[in-house]
Amino acid sequence: MWAKVDVPCVGGPVDGRCVLVPVDEEGLPPAQLDQTWLWIEYGGELLDADINGVYALESIAGGGPPWVYVWHSALPNRQSTDQRR
């Protein structure tokens, strides 16, 4: 049986949810969750969501646990493009 851990997500398409991810032999969750992982886990729920980016694992207290996945969008920031006009 594979060991798994719930990690909360901040921002992005699954903001506010905890995702159940496998941990490696050192007890660490994946460093990133990309579009492919999101589609496999959430599929049709994300049809209208912006999934152009990745969730990056960050420790809340040093080396973790606890951890959190923080969304990093691959799309340009709308606010910064509006300021250039």
Side-chain angles (χ1 to χ4, degrees):
M1 177 170 271
W2 293 66
K4 294 187 176 190
V5 65
D6 276 320
V7 180
C9 293
V10 176
V14 292
D15 182 40
R17 293 186 185 183
C18 286
V19 293
L20 186 62
V21 294
V23 294
D24 64 15
E25 53 278 340
E26 295 176 12
L28 299 172
Q32 290 186 340
L33 301 178
D34 62 11
Q35 296 170 9
T36 304
W37 190 91
L38 290 169
W39 275 114
I40 290 169
E41 293 297 315
Y42 293 98
E45 289 182 54
L46 302 178
L47 291 177
D48 295 328
D50 167 23
I51 60 162
N52 216 354
V54 297
Y55 279 104
L57 186 68
E58 294 184 10
S59 176
I60 295 173
W67 299 284
V68 65
Y69 279 113
V70 177
W71 180 251
H72 296 279
S73 179
L75 298 176
N77 185 347
R78 225 185 264 189
Q79 183 179 11
S80 63
T81 57
D82 289 343
Q83 291 175 351
R84 288 187 218 152
R85 293 181 190 177

